Amino acid sequence: MKDLLHSTASTQDLVKTGTKGVAAVVVGGALLLLRGFGGIFGIVLGGALVVFGSTVSARADTTDDRVGGLMSIAAGVLTILASLPLVGGIASFLMGFGGFSLVAYGGVEVFRFFRTARRRKRGV
């Protein structure tokens, strides 16, 4: 009988889904934007991302914060590599693929957030 009852997501799960979705869309868009920078500006911007990510990871209290810092470091390294003529093509491809994948994943998570919120509002 318990299987027939609909269970709604807790508020914590709903917030987590929405936050992951928005963060993935923003980070994916940032990767696509960073992909366009090249030359010395891309190297400087990538270096700034590496320093920022290192600072966030070092001061992190939670695992999620550490993962966010590591993702920032990875984006910085890819931005630096994409700015170099020798390996720029491969790094640029990876940035585009990763950015598009993150935007798609984030879109699905945002859709799930709104669908679940609407169901909770209706009481279904």
Side-chain angles (χ1 to χ4, degrees), residues 9-89:
S10 69
T11 302
Q12 222 173 19
D13 291 338
L14 188 61
V15 168
K16 187 182 273 190
T17 300
T19 303
K20 281 195 300 188
V22 170
V25 168
V26 168
V27 171
L31 271 178
L32 292 174
L33 180 70
L34 288 172
R35 182 179 178 214
F37 293 113
I40 192 71
F41 186 69
I43 293 171
V44 170
L45 191 58
L49 278 171
V50 169
V51 169
F52 172 75
S54 300
T55 304
V56 168
S57 289
R59 296 183 180 189
D61 293 335
T62 65
T63 304
D64 290 339
D65 291 341
R66 274 188 220 98
V67 169
L70 291 175
M71 295 300 286
S72 178
I73 292 170
V77 169
L78 277 176
T79 303
I80 292 170
L81 289 176
S83 300
L84 300 175
L86 214 50
V87 291

Side-chain angles (χ1 to χ4, degrees), residues 72-113:
S72 178
I73 292 170
V77 169
L78 277 176
T79 303
I80 292 170
L81 289 176
S83 300
L84 300 175
L86 214 50
V87 291
I90 296 169
S92 182
F93 169 76
L94 289 174
M95 287 178 77
F97 182 74
F100 178 75
S101 299
L102 281 170
V103 169
Y105 169 74
V108 169
E109 289 294 308
V110 169
F111 173 76
R112 285 181 54 209
F113 168 79

